[in-house]
Amino acid sequence: MPALFSEGFLLGLSTGFYCLAACLPLLAPYLLAEGKMAWDFNFGIFLQFTGGRFAAYLIFAVLASVLGEAGRYALPAWALPAAMAACGFLMVFLAVFRLAGRDSPCLLKSDLNPWFHRIPLLLGFVTGINVCPPFAAGLIRLLQLADVPKGLVYFIGFFSATTLFTAPVMLGTPWLGRRASEIGRLTLLLAGLWYLALGLKFFF
Amino acid sequence: MEPAVSRGKKAAAAGLFFALVFIPAFIFSGLIVGREISRLYAMVWAIFSGAAAFAIAYTGKVSFYRRLFFSVSALAFLVHFKLGLLDKVLAPTCFVSTPYCHIAMAPYFLGYLYQQYLALMSSGWRLWGPLTLGAAWLFVTLALGRGWCSWACFYGGIDDGLSGAVRRPLVGTGRLRFLRDLPAALLIFFLLVSLANMAPEYCLWLCPFKFTGAFLSRGGGERAAQYGLMGLSLAALVAGPLLTGKRTFCSYLCPFAAWQALWGRLNPFRLTGDAAKCSACGTCERACPMNAVSFAPGARPEILAYCNLCGQCLDACPSAALRYTVFGLELPSFGGAAGALVSVKYFYVFSALTLSSAFSSLWAPAALRDMVKLIFG
Ligand code: SF4
Ligand code: SF4
C-alpha cells in the first residue's frame, strides 16, 4: 500500500501544474470575491474546495476500480458538463447578487442560505471530475489495479501531491481588501459565464 | 510656459524642445526603417513628433497636441497593418506581420512563463523569446509607465482621438461606474483561462480588430459568439467614445490598462493634486476621458490607479491644482522660458514623446510611404 501511495504521489508531483491550471480559474476568482482579510476564513474556503476535489477523486477511484474496463470513463459523459454548467450558474448568481448589493430585491437577499457557503465544495468537485492528462494516466493505472482499496490509496497519494500545487493560491489572500473583492466579484461573474457556456455547449 | 515670458523667448525655448525630441526620434526612426524604405519618411515622422513637442512647449498645453500625435500614430497603424491585411493596395512594406500586440501579451503572461519554463526544462535554454518581450516591456514601463496608454498604444489612439472629437456627449457613463474595475477582472480572468487552455483567449474572444481568421474558431455557434464579442469590443472602441466622449474601450475592456495601472507604478511620474488650490468644482472628473477621477460633490477628487497621465484634466483645471510630479515631488523651479523646460512636466513629455515616436516608427513612416504610393503611383 505505501508503494501505491507514493506512486500516486509521484504522479501528482510530476503533473501538478496541470491541476493548478485546471483549479485556478475556479478557485482564484471565488477566493478574491469571497475571501476576507482573515487567513483562517480563506483557509476554510480552500479546505472546502479541496474537500470537493477529494470527494470527486474518491468517487472516481471507486467507480473506475469497480468498472475495471480499460478505456471507459467511470462517469457518464454528461456529468462533467452538467456540473460545470451548474457551477457556472451558481458563480454567476453569486456574483450578480454581490454586485447588486445587499439592498437588491433578490430572493437570496441575506447570507443565511447555507448553499452560498458550500459553493467551494462544488467548485472543487467539478475540478476533481475533470479528466485532464495526469488524471487519465491515474485512471489507466486504476483500471489495471481493479481493486477498490488500492485504487483509493493510489488516488489519495495523487490528491496529496497535487494539493501542494494548489495550496500557494492562499498566500496572497490575507492582503485582500475591499477593492480586491470588488474586482474579484467581476472576475467571478466572468468565470461563471465562461463555465456556464462551456457546460451548456455540450448539450446543444 | 510662464505667461510673463515674451513670445520670442517662448518660441526659442519651444524650438529647443523641438530639437531635443527631433534628434533622438530621427535617429531611432532612421535605424528602424532605414533598411527597408527611404530615411526621408523617418525624417517626416520625426519632424511631426518634434512639431508636437514644439506646440506643447509653446502653448504649455500637453493634452491637445499629445492627442493629435497619438491619434495620427494610431491611424497610421490602421492604414499600414490592418487595412494592409484587407487590401493589397496598401500592402505592408517593411514589416510583413503585425508587431506583437501588447494588449494580448498581458493576459497571456502566465502562458509565457510556462513556455519559458518548458524551454528551460527541455534544455532549450536559448529560447528566450518570452523573456526578451518581458525585458522590452520592462524598459517601456520604466520609461513611460501608464503613459503608454496616452501616447503609444495604437488602439488607445483611436479611442482617444474619437473621444476628443465630441463636443457634447449624448450619453453619460455615470451608470457604468460599477464596471470601472472590469479591465482588472478581465485581466485576471484571461490570465487564468489562457493558462488553463494554453491559448491566447483574449485574442480569440475580445480583440476588436480580427481581420484574419487566425483567431477564430472553425464555425458554428462558437464563431458566432466570437463575432458578437468582437462587435461589442469594436463598438466600445469606435461608437462608445463618439457617444460618451470617454475612452470606453480603454476604460472598460482593455486588460492591458489594468496591467499598466499595476506595473506603471514602477515609473516615477505621477499626476498629483494640490488640495489647497483645488476648489472641488469637479471639472477634472468631467474632463477625464479614462473615468479615472473619482469625485463626490464638495470633496477633493481622487485620482485612481487607471490614470494614464494624459494631461486632459491638468489642462482643464481652472485652479491649476494638478501637476506632473516625480513620486509626488516637484523639481526646484528655474526662471525664464528655457528654465521652464527643466521641470517634471517636460521631462515626462520628452520621455513619452521620444519613446512613442520611436515605437510608432514600426509603422508610421511605412504608412506614409503607402499613402504616397497610393496617391502618386
Ligand atoms: S487601455 Fe488598452 S487599448 Fe487603451 S491605450 Fe491602454 S493598452 Fe491601449
Ligand atoms: S486623471 Fe487626468 S491625467 Fe489621468 S487619465 Fe484622467 S484626465 Fe488623464
Side-chain angles (χ1 to χ4, degrees), chain B residues 271 287-290 292-293 303 307-313:
Chain B
L271 184 87
C288 177
M290 282 297 289
V293 180
I303 314 279
C307 163
N308 58 30
L309 290 93
C310 70
Q312 194 73 20
C313 59

PDB file of all heavy atoms in Angstrom, chain B residues 271 287-290 292-293 303 307-313, ligand 2:
ATOM      1  N   LEU B 271       0.589  62.005 -11.432  1.00  0.00           N
ATOM      2  CA  LEU B 271      -0.244  63.192 -11.519  1.00  0.00           C
ATOM      3  C   LEU B 271      -0.676  63.492 -10.082  1.00  0.00           C
ATOM      4  O   LEU B 271      -1.257  62.628  -9.420  1.00  0.00           O
ATOM      5  CB  LEU B 271      -1.466  62.916 -12.379  1.00  0.00           C
ATOM      6  CG  LEU B 271      -2.326  64.154 -12.570  1.00  0.00           C
ATOM      7  CD1 LEU B 271      -1.823  64.945 -13.768  1.00  0.00           C
ATOM      8  CD2 LEU B 271      -3.774  63.795 -12.787  1.00  0.00           C
ATOM      9  N   ALA B 287     -13.594  66.106 -17.348  1.00  0.00           N
ATOM     10  CA  ALA B 287     -12.606  66.151 -18.443  1.00  0.00           C
ATOM     11  C   ALA B 287     -11.917  64.811 -18.670  1.00  0.00           C
ATOM     12  O   ALA B 287     -11.485  64.526 -19.784  1.00  0.00           O
ATOM     13  CB  ALA B 287     -11.556  67.213 -18.133  1.00  0.00           C
ATOM     14  N   CYS B 288     -11.807  64.008 -17.645  1.00  0.00           N
ATOM     15  CA  CYS B 288     -11.003  62.782 -17.755  1.00  0.00           C
ATOM     16  C   CYS B 288     -11.630  61.771 -18.713  1.00  0.00           C
ATOM     17  O   CYS B 288     -12.707  61.243 -18.459  1.00  0.00           O
ATOM     18  CB  CYS B 288     -10.827  62.134 -16.383  1.00  0.00           C
ATOM     19  SG  CYS B 288      -9.908  60.589 -16.506  1.00  0.00           S
ATOM     20  N   PRO B 289     -10.979  61.466 -19.813  1.00  0.00           N
ATOM     21  CA  PRO B 289     -11.560  60.510 -20.762  1.00  0.00           C
ATOM     22  C   PRO B 289     -11.489  59.073 -20.270  1.00  0.00           C
ATOM     23  O   PRO B 289     -12.140  58.197 -20.808  1.00  0.00           O
ATOM     24  CB  PRO B 289     -10.707  60.693 -22.018  1.00  0.00           C
ATOM     25  CG  PRO B 289      -9.431  61.290 -21.553  1.00  0.00           C
ATOM     26  CD  PRO B 289      -9.690  62.018 -20.281  1.00  0.00           C
ATOM     27  N   MET B 290     -10.662  58.828 -19.248  1.00  0.00           N
ATOM     28  CA  MET B 290     -10.466  57.455 -18.759  1.00  0.00           C
ATOM     29  C   MET B 290     -11.368  57.113 -17.572  1.00  0.00           C
ATOM     30  O   MET B 290     -11.242  56.031 -17.005  1.00  0.00           O
ATOM     31  CB  MET B 290      -9.006  57.268 -18.325  1.00  0.00           C
ATOM     32  CG  MET B 290      -8.034  57.066 -19.461  1.00  0.00           C
ATOM     33  SD  MET B 290      -8.346  55.571 -20.397  1.00  0.00           S
ATOM     34  CE  MET B 290      -7.861  54.307 -19.242  1.00  0.00           C
ATOM     35  N   ALA B 292     -11.019  58.133 -14.711  1.00  0.00           N
ATOM     36  CA  ALA B 292     -10.035  57.787 -13.674  1.00  0.00           C
ATOM     37  C   ALA B 292     -10.042  58.773 -12.511  1.00  0.00           C
ATOM     38  O   ALA B 292      -9.152  58.731 -11.666  1.00  0.00           O
ATOM     39  CB  ALA B 292      -8.639  57.717 -14.283  1.00  0.00           C
ATOM     40  N   VAL B 293     -11.042  59.663 -12.493  1.00  0.00           N
ATOM     41  CA  VAL B 293     -11.141  60.580 -11.352  1.00  0.00           C
ATOM     42  C   VAL B 293     -12.427  60.257 -10.603  1.00  0.00           C
ATOM     43  O   VAL B 293     -13.508  60.244 -11.183  1.00  0.00           O
ATOM     44  CB  VAL B 293     -11.167  62.057 -11.808  1.00  0.00           C
ATOM     45  CG1 VAL B 293     -11.258  62.985 -10.603  1.00  0.00           C
ATOM     46  CG2 VAL B 293      -9.925  62.389 -12.625  1.00  0.00           C
ATOM     47  N   ILE B 303      -7.560  60.647  -7.647  1.00  0.00           N
ATOM     48  CA  ILE B 303      -7.057  60.133  -8.926  1.00  0.00           C
ATOM     49  C   ILE B 303      -6.852  58.625  -8.775  1.00  0.00           C
ATOM     50  O   ILE B 303      -6.076  58.199  -7.922  1.00  0.00           O
ATOM     51  CB  ILE B 303      -5.706  60.787  -9.312  1.00  0.00           C
ATOM     52  CG1 ILE B 303      -5.733  62.303  -9.123  1.00  0.00           C
ATOM     53  CG2 ILE B 303      -5.270  60.384 -10.715  1.00  0.00           C
ATOM     54  CD1 ILE B 303      -6.361  63.107 -10.187  1.00  0.00           C
ATOM     55  N   CYS B 307      -5.401  56.216 -14.051  1.00  0.00           N
ATOM     56  CA  CYS B 307      -4.950  57.454 -14.702  1.00  0.00           C
ATOM     57  C   CYS B 307      -3.741  57.138 -15.577  1.00  0.00           C
ATOM     58  O   CYS B 307      -2.793  56.492 -15.126  1.00  0.00           O
ATOM     59  CB  CYS B 307      -4.582  58.482 -13.648  1.00  0.00           C
ATOM     60  SG  CYS B 307      -3.583  59.840 -14.301  1.00  0.00           S
ATOM     61  N   ASN B 308      -3.782  57.594 -16.835  1.00  0.00           N
ATOM     62  CA  ASN B 308      -2.635  57.320 -17.702  1.00  0.00           C
ATOM     63  C   ASN B 308      -1.840  58.584 -18.036  1.00  0.00           C
ATOM     64  O   ASN B 308      -1.133  58.627 -19.037  1.00  0.00           O
ATOM     65  CB  ASN B 308      -3.054  56.550 -18.957  1.00  0.00           C
ATOM     66  CG  ASN B 308      -4.100  57.287 -19.762  1.00  0.00           C
ATOM     67  OD1 ASN B 308      -4.142  58.511 -19.764  1.00  0.00           O
ATOM     68  ND2 ASN B 308      -4.943  56.553 -20.441  1.00  0.00           N
ATOM     69  N   LEU B 309      -1.967  59.568 -17.209  1.00  0.00           N
ATOM     70  CA  LEU B 309      -1.190  60.816 -17.302  1.00  0.00           C
ATOM     71  C   LEU B 309      -1.342  61.525 -18.649  1.00  0.00           C
ATOM     72  O   LEU B 309      -0.385  62.074 -19.179  1.00  0.00           O
ATOM     73  CB  LEU B 309       0.302  60.532 -17.027  1.00  0.00           C
ATOM     74  CG  LEU B 309       0.641  60.167 -15.603  1.00  0.00           C
ATOM     75  CD1 LEU B 309       0.630  58.663 -15.432  1.00  0.00           C
ATOM     76  CD2 LEU B 309       1.993  60.680 -15.198  1.00  0.00           C
ATOM     77  N   CYS B 310      -2.561  61.505 -19.185  1.00  0.00           N
ATOM     78  CA  CYS B 310      -2.767  62.124 -20.498  1.00  0.00           C
ATOM     79  C   CYS B 310      -2.703  63.645 -20.418  1.00  0.00           C
ATOM     80  O   CYS B 310      -2.436  64.308 -21.413  1.00  0.00           O
ATOM     81  CB  CYS B 310      -4.099  61.681 -21.093  1.00  0.00           C
ATOM     82  SG  CYS B 310      -5.544  62.362 -20.255  1.00  0.00           S
ATOM     83  N   GLY B 311      -3.007  64.212 -19.263  1.00  0.00           N
ATOM     84  CA  GLY B 311      -2.905  65.660 -19.091  1.00  0.00           C
ATOM     85  C   GLY B 311      -4.189  66.415 -19.386  1.00  0.00           C
ATOM     86  O   GLY B 311      -4.244  67.640 -19.267  1.00  0.00           O
ATOM     87  N   GLN B 312      -5.257  65.696 -19.740  1.00  0.00           N
ATOM     88  CA  GLN B 312      -6.523  66.350 -20.085  1.00  0.00           C
ATOM     89  C   GLN B 312      -7.077  67.147 -18.888  1.00  0.00           C
ATOM     90  O   GLN B 312      -7.489  68.291 -19.037  1.00  0.00           O
ATOM     91  CB  GLN B 312      -7.515  65.263 -20.516  1.00  0.00           C
ATOM     92  CG  GLN B 312      -8.750  65.757 -21.216  1.00  0.00           C
ATOM     93  CD  GLN B 312      -8.462  66.227 -22.637  1.00  0.00           C
ATOM     94  OE1 GLN B 312      -7.446  65.858 -23.219  1.00  0.00           O
ATOM     95  NE2 GLN B 312      -9.327  67.056 -23.158  1.00  0.00           N
ATOM     96  N   CYS B 313      -7.056  66.525 -17.717  1.00  0.00           N
ATOM     97  CA  CYS B 313      -7.599  67.205 -16.527  1.00  0.00           C
ATOM     98  C   CYS B 313      -6.701  68.371 -16.126  1.00  0.00           C
ATOM     99  O   CYS B 313      -7.173  69.428 -15.691  1.00  0.00           O
ATOM    100  CB  CYS B 313      -7.722  66.213 -15.372  1.00  0.00           C
ATOM    101  SG  CYS B 313      -6.166  65.460 -14.938  1.00  0.00           S
TER     102      CYS B 313
HETATM  103  S1  SF4 C   2      -6.893  61.726 -14.297  1.00  0.00           S
HETATM  104 FE1  SF4 C   2      -6.212  63.348 -15.697  1.00  0.00          FE
HETATM  105  S2  SF4 C   2      -4.227  62.694 -16.490  1.00  0.00           S
HETATM  106 FE2  SF4 C   2      -5.235  60.889 -15.560  1.00  0.00          FE
HETATM  107  S3  SF4 C   2      -6.291  59.889 -17.268  1.00  0.00           S
HETATM  108 FE3  SF4 C   2      -7.765  61.277 -16.321  1.00  0.00          FE
HETATM  109  S4  SF4 C   2      -7.567  63.218 -17.472  1.00  0.00           S
HETATM  110 FE4  SF4 C   2      -5.779  61.955 -17.954  1.00  0.00          FE
END
